[in-house]
């Protein structure tokens, strides 16, 4: 893991992330089809405001809206990265990010993770960036970046990452007796 003082557009660019475009221009962006990881960035470090109801699509009848209190509890002061995701399996970056964007516009799409970003009043000002990776590396790279974020921010997940997809680690047992 490469440590930094902060995960910013500059440090992410140095690591091979590209794009840094608003979701609305994704269809016209040159997002690759292959595997990779992506981040959502909120460049404004001021305290966020939240919409009372999410404009995101309801997936399988589930309302993506949560209370402002819950959103406030998930907020990470001082962080520009608000979500870290991966594109693996049969869906590449282009399809995964298209699903994410469509979900935020209220359409049905298979991207339930990261849904908190759509309740930010300034969600249209967020940027998405991606880093292509060889097949099979996306899950590990996503977890590395989540682990680094947690290290930089006192052990908490990015705002819209609702669970830690911790890698499976074989732990050795120590004999105490």
């Amino acid at each position: 893991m490469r440590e930094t003082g902060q995960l910013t557009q500059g440090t992410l660019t140095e690591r091979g992330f590209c794009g840094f475009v608003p979701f609305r221009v994704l269809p016209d962006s040159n997002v690759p089809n292959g595997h990779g990881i992506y981040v959502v960035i909120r460049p404004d470090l001021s305290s966020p405001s939240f919409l009372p109801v999410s404009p995101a699509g309801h997936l399988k009848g589930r309302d993506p809206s949560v209370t402002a209190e819950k959103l406030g509890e998930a907020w990470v002061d001082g962080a520009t990265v608000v979500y870290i995701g991966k594109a693996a399996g049969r869906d590449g970056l282009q399809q995964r990010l298209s699903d994410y964007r469509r979900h935020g516009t209220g359409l049905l799409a298979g991207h339930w993770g990261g849904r908190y970003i759509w309740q930010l009043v300034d969600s249209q000002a967020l940027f998405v960036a991606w880093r292509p990776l060889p097949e099979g590396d996306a899950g590990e790279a996503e977890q590395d970046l989540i682990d680094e974020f947690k290290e930089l921010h006192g052990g908490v997940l990015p705002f819209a990452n609702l669970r830690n997809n911790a890698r499976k680690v074989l732990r050795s047992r120590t004999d105490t007796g």
Side-chain angles (χ1 to χ4, degrees):
M1 177 179 357
R2 187 170 168 196
E3 293 185 27
T4 65
Q6 183 61 268
L7 293 172
T8 63
Q9 182 173 343
T11 59
L12 292 167
T13 299
E14 289 172 6
R15 297 179 192 193
F17 281 84
C18 54
F20 299 97
V21 297
F23 276 95
R24 71 180 177 279
V25 302
L26 270 175
D28 299 322
S29 299
N30 204 11
V31 181
N33 288 319
H35 292 197
I37 59 175
Y38 56 96
V39 294
V40 179
I41 295 175
R42 181 178 182 257
D44 181 357
L45 291 175
S46 67
S47 295
S49 296
F50 305 112
L51 298 171
V53 177
S54 176
H58 290 224
L59 186 64
K60 298 180 182 175
R62 295 182 292 173
D63 185 347
S65 302
V66 296
T67 65
E69 179 181 354
K70 190 168 187 172
L71 294 168
E73 289 170 2
W75 188 252
V76 183
D77 286 329
T80 56
V81 171
V82 293
Y83 184 70
I84 299 168
K86 70 176 184 280
R90 60 185 172 86
D91 289 342
L93 283 164
Q94 188 176 68
Q95 182 62 50
R96 190 75 177 137
L97 290 173
S98 175
D99 288 347
Y100 199 9
R101 181 190 61 78
R102 290 173 29 120
H103 182 245
T105 64
L107 299 172
L108 293 178
H111 201 298
W112 189 248
R115 63 191 172 276
Y116 282 11
I117 71 163
W118 304 120
Q119 254 179 284
L120 288 166
V121 166
D122 60 353
S123 67
Q124 296 305 311
L126 301 176
F127 291 101
V128 62
W130 54 88
R131 185 176 116 201
L133 294 167
E135 189 170 330
D137 290 350
E140 190 77 14
E142 175 197 37
Q143 190 59 54
D144 286 346
L145 198 55
I146 289 172
D147 289 346
E148 181 177 357
F149 183 96
K150 289 170 58 180
E151 189 173 308
L152 291 167
H153 296 283
V156 298
L157 292 168
F159 167 67
N161 284 86
L162 303 183
R163 59 190 175 111
N164 189 6
N165 295 326
R167 59 181 64 95
K168 295 177 183 170
V169 178
L170 296 175
R171 295 187 178 169
S172 61
R173 294 177 59 187
T174 56
D175 295 327
T176 57

